[in-house]
Amino acid sequence: MALDHAILVSLLEKPGSGYELARRFERSIGYFWTATHQQIYRVLKRMESDGWVDVRDVPQQGRPDKKEYSVAGPGRDALSAWLHAPIEPESVRHDLAVKIRGAAFDDPAALIGEVRRHRQAHTDRLEHYRAGEARDFPPSGADGPPDAERELQHAVLRGGIAYERMMIAWLDDVLATLARFEAGR
Amino acid sequence: MALDHAILVSLLEKPGSGYELARRFERSIGYFWTATHQQIYRVLKRMESDGWVDVRDVPQQGRPDKKEYSVAGPGRDALSAWLHAPIEPESVRHDLAVKIRGAAFDDPAALIGEVRRHRQAHTDRLEHYRAGEARDFPPSGADGPPDAERELQHAVLRGGIAYERMMIAWLDDVLATLARFEAGR
DNA sequence: TGCAGCATGTAAGTCGTTACATGATTTC
DNA sequence: GAAATCATGTAACGACTTACATGCTGCA
């Protein structure tokens, strides 16, 4: 289970509240992990009672107070142990692929709208990632020593971009395949 | 939830026992959905009591008897309803990406072996898919009317192939990034 | 007045994973 | 004699989703 570790990594990058973590999971972290606030609060509570994170009450003006979490020693140790242990290459789950194979027993052409919707969603995400890349990782000339945190974040973002591009190309392929059955009915 | 529907599609393609379904999920269906036999037996039992599938006892020689499941009318209707309802473009979960971002706070070079292992696993899967493609979808000249079941299965397989290729290219990118920190320690 | 954003939570139910359990046959 | 394959299950636990719940501030 990696939600614990995803939260630890995010808190190492920058301490924050459960709410802030939930927003990060909606945005930048969202391209490799998703989590709702309910999950996050539960895990934060558990990690707090296990001594993996420290909490600090932060009073705010014009806003509800918040609890700022940061990673404690045992949490860092737990993350390190997980980083050094091998994980299995994960399995994929694509609802849309189930639908595409299922369409053979229903009406293939009826799926065209749905596939277009998904294609649009992936186009939007790609745009979003590319905007983030342009903002956070501008092309740089010769500069100082490489910054591991930045470069690894960028590498993960490039993975998100590659994924969206692959999906768009594949959905175009699927649309071309479906079109053959639209005429052939 | 799509496990129900994945099972229905598989049974429409060919009726079979829980055990056979589990093997199909390990193989061809595995490139877009995974399920263990425990899950499958539970869902089959539920679908049977809901009247979505029919069961037939098949005695065998030299092997334990098996129960062959096939899709019943209500199951087909349920699948059809699901096919016509929109689903949300699914969220991604990559443990390995969590590790890569986490490596910035540990030892980036220590991750190289792990990333290589994953690259190998994706290379193996790609080989497996390509062998399946060559076997089941040989290049054909001009032939009869297009067969929806075959062509859609092929389109999904092409998606699996595109996914593995993308992953291999991205992991090479990650390895190049990690290598920069091996020297710079 | 109403909506969006900030901030934290509880409860119920489903889904998925891991471990345990059995027993026959075929292959090395 | 051991291991792999065929075949079906139960039990327990942990993860995830969905719905419900509260309350304050800022803006149109």
Side-chain angles (χ1 to χ4, degrees):
Chain A
M1 215 281 302
L3 176 55
D4 300 39
H5 308 106
I7 288 176
L8 288 172
V9 170
S10 191
L11 288 178
L12 282 171
E13 290 176 349
K14 190 170 163 45
S17 68
Y19 187 85
E20 283 162 353
L21 283 169
R23 299 198 61 217
R24 288 186 216 168
F25 274 87
E26 271 173 16
R27 300 176 185 207
S28 76
I29 307 178
Y31 49 80
F32 62 91
W33 203 273
T34 50
T36 59
H37 76 274
Q38 292 90 338
Q39 278 179 275
I40 292 167
Y41 284 123
R42 208 182 329 138
V43 172
L44 282 174
K45 195 161 274 185
R46 192 183 68 223
M47 292 202 293
E48 189 193 340
S49 72
D50 290 350
W52 288 19
V53 293
D54 292 325
V55 198
R56 195 168 64 92
D57 276 313
V58 179
Q60 296 187 117
Q61 293 181 332
R63 290 179 179 191
D65 297 349
K66 67 177 182 179
K67 298 184 184 173
E68 193 181 77
Y69 291 88
S70 53
V71 179
R76 239 192 136 99
D77 294 344
L79 179 65
S80 183
W82 179 72
L83 285 173
H84 288 271
I87 50 174
E88 284 310 298
E90 58 258 19
S91 44
V92 199
R93 284 193 181 180
H94 284 297
D95 293 65
L96 192 57
V98 178
K99 277 199 168 191
I100 292 166
R101 264 172 88 146
F105 305 96
D106 200 78
D107 176 10
L111 213 66
I112 290 176
E114 173 84 335
V115 175
R116 283 207 187 116
R117 267 191 46 243
H118 281 251
R119 190 193 185 281
Q120 184 60 51
H122 287 287
T123 308
D124 292 348
R125 262 194 238 165
L126 175 59
E127 253 324 289
H128 176 220
Y129 292 168
R130 282 173 56 76
E133 189 182 30
R135 181 179 11 90
D136 298 332
F137 306 100
S140 67
D143 44 12
D147 173 355
E149 192 180 332
R150 264 180 66 79
E151 299 230 12
L152 293 174
Q153 278 183 8
H154 192 184
V156 171
L157 176 55
R158 287 196 300 271
I161 289 171
Y163 177 76
E164 299 305 330
R165 284 198 172 129
M166 181 278 297
M167 284 299 288
I168 292 165
W170 175 58
L171 291 178
D172 282 338
D173 177 6
V174 170
L175 283 171
T177 306
L178 287 173
R180 262 178 263 158
F181 301 100
E182 199 176 22
R185 269 186 305 167
Chain B
M1 214 278 303
L3 176 55
D4 299 40
H5 308 105
I7 289 176
L8 289 172
V9 170
S10 190
L11 288 178
L12 281 171
E13 289 176 351
K14 190 169 165 41
S17 68
Y19 187 85
E20 283 163 353
L21 282 170
R23 298 197 63 216
R24 288 185 215 169
F25 274 88
E26 271 172 17
R27 300 175 186 208
S28 76
I29 307 179
Y31 49 81
F32 63 89
W33 202 273
T34 50
T36 59
H37 76 274
Q38 293 88 340
Q39 279 177 274
I40 291 166
Y41 283 123
R42 212 193 313 156
V43 172
L44 282 175
K45 196 160 274 186
R46 192 182 68 223
M47 291 201 295
E48 189 194 340
S49 71
D50 290 351
W52 288 19
V53 292
D54 292 325
V55 199
R56 195 168 64 93
D57 276 314
V58 179
Q60 296 187 116
Q61 293 181 332
R63 292 181 177 187
D65 297 350
K66 65 176 182 178
K67 300 182 184 175
E68 194 182 75
Y69 292 87
S70 52
V71 180
R76 238 190 137 97
D77 293 345
L79 178 65
S80 183
W82 179 73
L83 286 172
H84 287 271
I87 51 174
E88 283 311 298
E90 56 259 17
S91 45
V92 198
R93 286 198 178 174
H94 284 297
D95 293 64
L96 193 57
V98 178
K99 276 198 168 191
I100 292 165
R101 261 172 90 147
F105 305 95
D106 200 77
D107 176 9
L111 214 64
I112 290 174
E114 174 83 336
V115 174
R116 281 205 189 117
R117 268 194 41 243
H118 281 252
R119 190 193 183 284
Q120 185 60 51
H122 287 286
T123 307
D124 292 348
R125 261 193 239 166
L126 175 60
E127 253 324 290
H128 176 222
Y129 291 169
R130 281 170 59 73
E133 189 183 31
R135 180 178 11 93
D136 298 331
F137 306 100
S140 68
D143 45 11
D147 173 355
E149 192 179 329
R150 263 181 66 80
E151 299 231 13
L152 293 174
Q153 278 183 8
H154 193 186
V156 171
L157 177 55
R158 287 196 300 271
I161 289 171
Y163 177 77
E164 299 305 331
R165 286 200 171 128
M166 182 278 298
M167 283 300 288
I168 292 165
W170 174 58
L171 291 177
D172 282 337
D173 176 6
V174 170
L175 283 171
T177 307
L178 287 172
R180 263 178 261 156
F181 301 100
E182 200 174 20
R185 268 187 307 171

